[in-house]
């Protein structure tokens, strides 16, 4: 299943090292991913949205924000770049 994963790290746990920790977790925990914007990713996982959110909690602090939603395949982009568009077009929704 393809999901949008967005997060926002809150002070004082919003250092570059904190962001790198979360990015490393996303890259290692999900079978396939596309980095869309600063803190927005599209991930491929067997988990439903709630399970993916709960899974990410171990890498986040209690004040951080996390949002996960299933992407059903109806998407559009503008000036998004060939690599990200190719990744999305290759997914099975």
């Amino acid at each position: 299943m393809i999901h949008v994963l967005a997060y926002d790290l809150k002070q004082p746990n919003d250092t570059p090292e904190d962001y790198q920790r979360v990015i490393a977790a996303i890259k290692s925990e999900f079978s396939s991913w596309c980095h869309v914007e600063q803190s927005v990713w599209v991930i491929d996982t067997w988990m439903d949205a709630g399970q993916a959110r709960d899974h990410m909690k171990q890498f986040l602090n209690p004040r951080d924000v996390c949002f996960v939603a299933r992407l059903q395949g109806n998407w559009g982009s503008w000036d998004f770049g060939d690599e990200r568009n190719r990744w999305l077009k290759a997914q099975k929704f």
Side-chain angles (χ1 to χ4, degrees):
M1 291 184 278
I2 307 299
H3 293 79
V4 174
L5 166 65
Y7 60 91
D8 188 18
L9 305 185
K10 301 294 184 177
Q11 291 181 347
N13 301 304
D14 62 344
T15 67
E17 293 80 15
D18 291 310
Y19 278 93
Q20 286 304 315
R21 174 181 42 78
V22 175
I23 290 167
I26 292 168
K27 289 179 175 181
S28 69
E29 297 294 316
F30 299 106
S31 61
S32 183
W33 48 265
C34 179
H35 191 188
V36 176
E37 284 298 324
Q38 185 174 356
S39 296
V40 180
W41 297 69
V42 179
I43 57 171
D44 185 5
T45 179
W46 57 267
M47 299 176 208
D48 66 28
Q51 290 169 320
R53 176 210 56 218
D54 291 346
H55 186 73
M56 285 303 298
K57 285 181 184 179
Q58 67 185 304
F59 306 106
L60 301 170
N61 290 293
R63 294 188 54 218
D64 295 339
V65 176
C66 181
F67 173 79
V68 181
R70 185 165 180 200
L71 185 59
Q72 297 291 327
N74 184 15
W75 61 274
S77 65
W78 178 69
D79 199 20
F80 203 51
D82 292 341
E83 185 176 341
R84 291 181 281 192
N85 279 325
R86 271 194 301 275
W87 188 91
L88 283 163
K89 287 177 183 178
Q91 302 313 302
K92 293 183 180 6
F93 293 92

